[in-house]
Coordinates of all heavy atoms in Angstrom, one line a residue:
I656 N 20.9 -14.6 -23.3 CA 21.1 -13.2 -23.7 C 22.6 -13.0 -23.9 O 23.0 -12.4 -24.9 CB 20.5 -12.3 -22.6 CG1 19.0 -12.6 -22.3 CG2 20.7 -10.8 -23.1 CD1 18.1 -12.5 -23.4
N657 N 23.4 -13.5 -22.9 CA 24.8 -13.2 -23.0 C 25.5 -14.5 -22.5 O 25.6 -14.7 -21.3 CB 25.2 -12.0 -22.2 CG 26.6 -11.7 -22.2 OD1 27.5 -12.5 -22.5 ND2 26.9 -10.4 -22.1
P658 N 26.1 -15.3 -23.4 CA 26.8 -16.5 -23.0 C 27.9 -16.3 -22.0 O 28.1 -17.2 -21.1 CB 27.3 -17.1 -24.3 CG 26.5 -16.5 -25.4 CD 26.1 -15.1 -24.9
L659 N 28.5 -15.1 -22.1 CA 29.7 -14.9 -21.2 C 29.2 -14.6 -19.7 O 29.7 -15.2 -18.8 CB 30.4 -13.7 -21.7 CG 31.8 -13.3 -21.0 CD1 32.8 -14.4 -21.3 CD2 32.3 -12.0 -21.6
T660 N 28.2 -13.7 -19.6 CA 27.7 -13.4 -18.3 C 27.0 -14.6 -17.7 O 27.0 -14.9 -16.5 CB 26.8 -12.2 -18.2 OG1 25.8 -12.3 -19.2 CG2 27.6 -10.9 -18.5
L661 N 26.3 -15.4 -18.6 CA 25.6 -16.6 -18.1 C 26.6 -17.6 -17.5 O 26.4 -18.1 -16.5 CB 24.9 -17.3 -19.3 CG 24.2 -18.6 -19.0 CD1 23.1 -18.4 -18.0 CD2 23.7 -19.3 -20.2
K662 N 27.8 -17.7 -18.2 CA 28.8 -18.6 -17.7 C 29.2 -18.1 -16.3 O 29.4 -18.9 -15.3 CB 30.0 -18.6 -18.6 CG 30.2 -19.8 -19.4 CD 31.5 -19.9 -20.1 CE 31.3 -20.9 -21.2 NZ 32.4 -20.9 -22.2
G663 N 29.4 -16.8 -16.2 CA 29.8 -16.2 -14.9 C 28.8 -16.6 -13.8 O 29.1 -16.9 -12.7
Q664 N 27.5 -16.4 -14.2 CA 26.4 -16.8 -13.2 C 26.5 -18.2 -12.8 O 26.4 -18.6 -11.6 CB 25.1 -16.5 -13.8 CG 24.7 -15.0 -13.9 CD 24.6 -14.4 -12.5 OE1 23.8 -14.9 -11.7 NE2 25.4 -13.5 -12.2
L665 N 26.7 -19.1 -13.8 CA 26.8 -20.5 -13.4 C 28.0 -20.8 -12.6 O 27.9 -21.6 -11.6 CB 26.7 -21.4 -14.7 CG 25.3 -21.4 -15.2 CD1 25.2 -21.8 -16.7 CD2 24.4 -22.4 -14.4
H666 N 29.2 -20.3 -13.0 CA 30.4 -20.5 -12.2 C 30.2 -20.1 -10.7 O 30.4 -20.8 -9.8 CB 31.6 -19.7 -12.8 CG 32.1 -20.2 -14.1 ND1 33.0 -19.5 -14.8 CD2 31.8 -21.4 -14.7 CE1 33.2 -20.3 -15.9 NE2 32.6 -21.4 -15.9
G667 N 29.7 -18.9 -10.6 CA 29.5 -18.3 -9.2 C 28.5 -19.2 -8.4 O 28.7 -19.5 -7.2
G668 N 27.4 -19.6 -9.1 CA 26.4 -20.4 -8.4 C 27.0 -21.8 -8.0 O 26.7 -22.3 -6.9
I669 N 27.7 -22.4 -8.9 CA 28.3 -23.7 -8.6 C 29.3 -23.6 -7.4 O 29.3 -24.4 -6.5 CB 29.0 -24.3 -9.9 CG1 27.9 -24.6 -10.9 CG2 29.8 -25.5 -9.5 CD1 28.4 -24.9 -12.3
V670 N 30.1 -22.5 -7.4 CA 31.1 -22.4 -6.4 C 30.3 -22.2 -5.0 O 30.8 -22.7 -4.0 CB 32.0 -21.2 -6.6 CG1 32.9 -20.9 -5.4 CG2 32.9 -21.5 -7.8
Q671 N 29.2 -21.5 -5.0 CA 28.4 -21.4 -3.8 C 28.0 -22.8 -3.3 O 27.9 -23.1 -2.1 CB 27.3 -20.4 -3.9 CG 27.7 -19.0 -3.5 CD 26.7 -17.9 -3.7 OE1 26.1 -17.9 -4.8 NE2 26.5 -17.1 -2.8
G672 N 27.6 -23.6 -4.3 CA 27.2 -25.0 -3.9 C 28.3 -25.8 -3.4 O 28.2 -26.5 -2.4
I673 N 29.5 -25.7 -4.1 CA 30.7 -26.4 -3.7 C 31.1 -26.0 -2.3 O 31.4 -26.8 -1.4 CB 31.9 -26.2 -4.7 CG1 31.6 -26.8 -6.0 CG2 33.2 -26.7 -4.1 CD1 32.6 -26.5 -7.1
G674 N 31.0 -24.7 -2.0 CA 31.3 -24.1 -0.7 C 30.5 -24.7 0.4 O 31.0 -25.2 1.4
Q675 N 29.2 -24.8 0.1 CA 28.3 -25.4 1.2 C 28.6 -26.8 1.4 O 28.5 -27.3 2.5 CB 26.8 -25.2 0.8 CG 25.8 -25.8 1.7 CD 24.5 -25.2 1.9 OE1 24.1 -24.3 1.1 NE2 23.8 -25.6 2.9
I676 N 28.8 -27.6 0.3 CA 29.1 -29.0 0.5 C 30.4 -29.3 1.2 O 30.5 -30.2 2.1 CB 29.0 -29.8 -0.8 CG1 27.6 -29.7 -1.4 CG2 29.5 -31.2 -0.7 CD1 26.5 -30.4 -0.4
L677 N 31.4 -28.5 0.8 CA 32.8 -28.8 1.4 C 33.1 -28.2 2.7 O 33.8 -28.8 3.5 CB 33.9 -28.5 0.4 CG 33.9 -29.2 -1.0 CD1 35.2 -28.9 -1.7 CD2 33.8 -30.7 -0.7
M678 N 32.6 -27.0 2.9 CA 33.2 -26.3 4.1 C 32.3 -25.3 4.8 O 32.4 -25.1 6.0 CB 34.5 -25.6 3.7 CG 34.3 -24.6 2.6 SD 35.9 -24.0 2.0 CE 36.3 -25.3 0.8
E679 N 31.4 -24.6 4.1 CA 30.7 -23.5 4.8 C 29.6 -24.0 5.8 O 29.0 -25.1 5.6 CB 29.9 -22.7 3.7 CG 30.8 -21.9 2.8 CD 30.0 -21.0 1.9 OE1 29.1 -20.3 2.4 OE2 30.3 -21.1 0.7
R680 N 29.5 -23.3 6.9 CA 28.4 -23.6 7.9 C 28.4 -22.6 8.9 O 29.4 -22.2 9.5 CB 28.7 -25.0 8.5 CG 27.6 -25.4 9.5 CD 27.7 -26.9 9.8 NE 28.7 -27.2 10.8 CZ 28.4 -27.5 12.0 NH1 27.1 -27.5 12.4 NH2 29.3 -27.8 12.9
V681 N 27.2 -22.1 9.2 CA 27.0 -21.3 10.4 C 26.8 -22.2 11.6 O 25.8 -23.0 11.6 CB 25.7 -20.3 10.3 CG1 25.5 -19.5 11.6 CG2 25.9 -19.4 9.1
A682 N 27.8 -22.2 12.5 CA 27.8 -23.2 13.5 C 27.4 -22.6 14.9 O 27.9 -21.4 15.2 CB 29.1 -23.9 13.6
Y683 N 26.6 -23.3 15.7 CA 26.3 -22.8 17.0 C 26.7 -23.9 18.0 O 26.7 -25.1 17.7 CB 24.8 -22.6 17.1 CG 24.3 -21.4 16.4 CD1 23.8 -21.5 15.1 CD2 24.3 -20.1 17.0 CE1 23.4 -20.3 14.4 CE2 23.8 -19.0 16.3 CZ 23.4 -19.1 15.0 OH 22.9 -18.0 14.3
D684 N 27.0 -23.4 19.2 CA 27.2 -24.4 20.3 C 25.9 -24.8 20.8 O 25.0 -24.0 21.2 CB 28.0 -23.7 21.4 CG 28.2 -24.6 22.6 OD1 29.1 -25.5 22.4 OD2 27.5 -24.5 23.6
H685 N 25.7 -26.1 20.9 CA 24.3 -26.6 21.2 C 23.9 -26.5 22.6 O 22.8 -26.4 23.0 CB 24.2 -28.1 20.7 CG 23.9 -28.2 19.3 ND1 22.6 -28.5 18.8 CD2 24.6 -27.8 18.2 CE1 22.7 -28.4 17.4 NE2 23.9 -28.0 17.1
E686 N 24.9 -26.3 23.5 CA 24.6 -26.1 24.9 C 24.2 -24.7 25.2 O 23.2 -24.4 25.7 CB 25.9 -26.4 25.8 CG 26.2 -27.9 25.9 CD 25.1 -28.6 26.7 OE1 24.8 -28.2 27.8 OE2 24.5 -29.6 26.1
S687 N 25.1 -23.7 24.8 CA 24.9 -22.3 25.1 C 24.2 -21.5 24.1 O 23.7 -20.4 24.3 CB 26.3 -21.7 25.3 OG 27.0 -21.7 24.1
G688 N 24.1 -22.1 22.8 CA 23.5 -21.3 21.7 C 24.5 -20.3 21.2 O 24.1 -19.4 20.4
Q689 N 25.8 -20.3 21.6 CA 26.7 -19.4 21.1 C 27.0 -19.6 19.6 O 27.1 -20.7 19.2 CB 28.1 -19.5 21.9 CG 28.2 -18.4 23.0 CD 27.9 -17.0 22.6 OE1 28.2 -16.5 21.5 NE2 27.1 -16.3 23.5
L690 N 27.2 -18.5 18.9 CA 27.6 -18.5 17.5 C 29.1 -18.8 17.5 O 29.9 -18.1 18.1 CB 27.3 -17.2 16.9 CG 27.6 -16.9 15.4 CD1 26.9 -18.0 14.6 CD2 27.3 -15.5 15.0
L691 N 29.5 -19.9 16.7 CA 30.9 -20.3 16.7 C 31.6 -19.9 15.4 O 32.8 -20.1 15.3 CB 30.9 -21.8 16.9 CG 30.3 -22.4 18.1 CD1 30.4 -24.0 18.0 CD2 31.0 -21.9 19.4
S692 N 30.8 -19.4 14.5 CA 31.5 -19.1 13.2 C 31.1 -17.7 12.7 O 30.5 -17.6 11.7 CB 31.0 -20.2 12.2 OG 29.6 -20.2 12.1
A693 N 31.5 -16.7 13.5 CA 31.1 -15.4 13.2 C 32.2 -14.7 12.3 O 32.0 -13.5 11.9 CB 30.9 -14.6 14.5
S694 N 33.4 -15.3 12.1 CA 34.4 -14.6 11.4 C 35.0 -15.6 10.4 O 34.7 -16.8 10.4 CB 35.5 -14.1 12.3 OG 36.4 -15.1 12.6
F695 N 35.8 -15.0 9.5 CA 36.4 -15.9 8.4 C 37.5 -16.8 9.1 O 38.0 -17.7 8.4 CB 37.0 -15.1 7.3 CG 36.0 -14.6 6.4 CD1 36.1 -13.3 5.8 CD2 34.9 -15.3 6.0 CE1 35.1 -12.8 4.9 CE2 33.9 -14.9 5.2 CZ 34.0 -13.6 4.6
M696 N 37.8 -16.6 10.3 CA 38.7 -17.6 11.0 C 37.9 -18.9 11.2 O 38.5 -20.0 11.3 CB 39.1 -17.1 12.4 CG 40.0 -15.8 12.3 SD 41.6 -16.2 11.5 CE 42.4 -17.1 12.8
D697 N 36.6 -18.8 11.4 CA 35.8 -20.0 11.7 C 34.8 -20.4 10.6 O 34.3 -21.5 10.6 CB 35.0 -19.8 13.0 CG 35.7 -18.9 14.0 OD1 36.7 -19.4 14.5 OD2 35.3 -17.8 14.2
Y698 N 34.5 -19.5 9.7 CA 33.6 -19.8 8.7 C 34.4 -19.9 7.4 O 34.9 -19.0 6.8 CB 32.6 -18.6 8.5 CG 31.4 -19.0 7.6 CD1 30.1 -19.3 8.1 CD2 31.6 -19.0 6.2 CE1 29.1 -19.6 7.2 CE2 30.6 -19.3 5.3 CZ 29.3 -19.6 5.9 OH 28.3 -19.9 5.0
A699 N 34.5 -21.2 6.9 CA 35.4 -21.4 5.8 C 34.7 -21.1 4.5 O 33.5 -21.4 4.3 CB 35.8 -22.9 5.8
M700 N 35.4 -20.4 3.6 CA 34.9 -20.1 2.3 C 35.7 -20.7 1.2 O 36.9 -20.8 1.3 CB 34.9 -18.6 2.1 CG 33.9 -17.8 3.0 SD 32.3 -18.0 2.4 CE 32.3 -17.0 0.9
P701 N 35.1 -21.2 0.1 CA 35.9 -21.7 -1.0 C 36.8 -20.7 -1.7 O 36.4 -19.6 -1.8 CB 34.8 -22.3 -1.9 CG 33.6 -21.5 -1.7 CD 33.6 -21.1 -0.2
R702 N 38.0 -21.1 -2.0 CA 38.9 -20.3 -2.8 C 39.1 -20.9 -4.1 O 38.7 -22.0 -4.4 CB 40.2 -20.1 -2.0 CG 40.0 -19.7 -0.6 CD 41.3 -19.7 0.1 NE 41.1 -19.7 1.6 CZ 41.9 -19.3 2.4 NH1 43.1 -18.9 2.0 NH2 41.6 -19.2 3.7
A703 N 39.9 -20.2 -4.9 CA 40.2 -20.7 -6.3 C 40.7 -22.2 -6.2 O 40.4 -23.0 -7.1 CB 41.1 -19.8 -7.0
V704 N 41.6 -22.5 -5.3 CA 42.2 -23.8 -5.2 C 41.2 -24.9 -4.9 O 41.4 -26.1 -5.1 CB 43.4 -23.9 -4.2 CG1 44.6 -23.1 -4.6 CG2 42.9 -23.5 -2.8
D705 N 40.0 -24.5 -4.3 CA 39.0 -25.5 -3.9 C 38.1 -25.9 -5.1 O 37.2 -26.7 -4.9 CB 38.2 -25.0 -2.8 CG 39.1 -24.7 -1.6 OD1 39.8 -25.6 -1.2 OD2 39.0 -23.6 -1.0
V706 N 38.2 -25.2 -6.2 CA 37.3 -25.5 -7.3 C 38.2 -25.9 -8.5 O 39.4 -25.9 -8.4 CB 36.4 -24.3 -7.7 CG1 35.5 -24.0 -6.5 CG2 37.1 -23.1 -8.1
C707 N 37.5 -26.2 -9.6 CA 38.3 -26.6 -10.8 C 37.7 -25.8 -12.0 O 36.8 -25.1 -11.9 CB 38.1 -28.1 -11.0 SG 36.4 -28.5 -11.4
M708 N 38.4 -25.9 -13.1 CA 37.8 -25.3 -14.3 C 36.4 -26.0 -14.5 O 36.3 -27.2 -14.4 CB 38.7 -25.6 -15.6 CG 40.0 -24.9 -15.5 SD 39.8 -23.1 -15.3 CE 39.3 -22.6 -16.9
M709 N 35.4 -25.2 -14.9 CA 34.1 -25.8 -15.1 C 33.7 -25.7 -16.6 O 34.0 -24.8 -17.2 CB 33.1 -25.1 -14.3 CG 33.3 -25.3 -12.8 SD 32.2 -24.1 -11.9 CE 33.5 -23.2 -11.1
S710 N 33.0 -26.8 -17.0 CA 32.6 -26.8 -18.4 C 31.1 -26.5 -18.4 O 30.3 -27.2 -17.9 CB 32.9 -28.2 -18.9 OG 32.3 -28.4 -20.2
V711 N 30.8 -25.3 -19.0 CA 29.3 -24.9 -19.1 C 28.9 -25.0 -20.5 O 29.4 -24.4 -21.4 CB 29.2 -23.5 -18.6 CG1 27.7 -23.0 -18.7 CG2 29.6 -23.3 -17.1
V712 N 27.9 -25.9 -20.7 CA 27.4 -26.2 -22.1 C 26.0 -25.8 -22.1 O 25.2 -26.1 -21.2 CB 27.6 -27.7 -22.5 CG1 27.1 -27.9 -23.9 CG2 29.0 -28.1 -22.3
S713 N 25.6 -25.1 -23.2 CA 24.2 -24.7 -23.3 C 23.4 -25.6 -24.2 O 23.8 -26.0 -25.2 CB 24.1 -23.2 -23.9 OG 24.0 -22.3 -22.8
N714 N 22.2 -25.9 -23.7 CA 21.2 -26.7 -24.5 C 19.9 -26.0 -24.4 O 19.0 -26.4 -23.8 CB 21.1 -28.1 -24.0 CG 20.1 -28.9 -24.8 OD1 20.0 -28.8 -26.0 ND2 19.3 -29.8 -24.1
P715 N 19.9 -24.8 -25.1 CA 18.7 -23.9 -24.8 C 17.4 -24.4 -25.5 O 17.4 -24.7 -26.7 CB 19.1 -22.6 -25.4 CG 20.2 -22.9 -26.4 CD 20.8 -24.2 -26.0
V716 N 16.4 -24.4 -24.7 CA 15.0 -24.7 -25.3 C 14.2 -23.5 -24.9 O 13.7 -23.4 -23.8 CB 14.5 -26.0 -24.7 CG1 13.1 -26.4 -25.4 CG2 15.4 -27.2 -24.8
P717 N 14.0 -22.6 -25.8 CA 13.3 -21.3 -25.5 C 11.8 -21.6 -25.0 O 11.2 -22.6 -25.4 CB 13.2 -20.5 -26.8 CG 14.4 -21.1 -27.6 CD 14.5 -22.5 -27.2
T718 N 11.4 -20.9 -24.0 CA 10.0 -21.0 -23.5 C 9.1 -20.1 -24.4 O 9.6 -19.1 -24.9 CB 9.9 -20.6 -22.0 OG1 8.6 -20.5 -21.7 CG2 10.5 -19.2 -21.8
M719 N 7.9 -20.5 -24.4 CA 6.9 -19.7 -25.2 C 6.2 -18.6 -24.3 O 5.4 -17.9 -24.7 CB 5.8 -20.5 -25.8 CG 6.3 -21.6 -26.8 SD 7.3 -20.9 -28.1 CE 6.0 -20.3 -29.1
H720 N 6.6 -18.6 -23.0 CA 5.9 -17.8 -22.0 C 6.3 -16.3 -22.0 O 5.8 -15.6 -21.2 CB 5.9 -18.4 -20.6 CG 5.1 -19.7 -20.5 ND1 3.9 -19.8 -21.1 CD2 5.4 -20.9 -20.0 CE1 3.4 -21.0 -20.8 NE2 4.3 -21.7 -20.2
N721 N 7.4 -16.0 -22.7 CA 7.7 -14.6 -22.8 C 8.4 -14.4 -24.2 O 8.9 -15.3 -24.7 CB 8.7 -14.1 -21.6 CG 10.0 -14.9 -21.7 OD1 10.8 -14.6 -22.5 ND2 10.2 -15.8 -20.7
P722 N 8.3 -13.1 -24.7 CA 8.7 -12.9 -26.1 C 10.2 -13.1 -26.3 O 10.7 -13.3 -27.4 CB 8.3 -11.4 -26.3 CG 8.0 -10.9 -25.0 CD 7.7 -11.9 -24.1

Side-chain angles (χ1 to χ4, degrees):
I656 308 299
N657 184 332
L659 189 65
T660 52
L661 174 66
K662 255 188 197 170
Q664 283 296 300
L665 284 159
H666 287 169
I669 290 166
V670 172
Q671 267 174 316
I673 291 174
Q675 175 150 12
I676 292 300
L677 294 189
M678 59 191 82
E679 290 185 48
R680 184 160 82 103
V681 177
Y683 287 92
D684 178 75
H685 279 252
E686 287 295 306
S687 63
Q689 260 315 316
L690 178 59
L691 301 175
S692 53
S694 80
F695 283 144
M696 294 295 286
D697 323 292
Y698 189 104
M700 289 287 286
R702 306 171 196 205
V704 292
D705 298 308
V706 298
C707 63
M708 293 304 285
M709 289 169 244
S710 168
V711 177
V712 180
S713 265
N714 179 38
V716 185
T718 172
M719 301 304 281
H720 290 316
N721 64 73

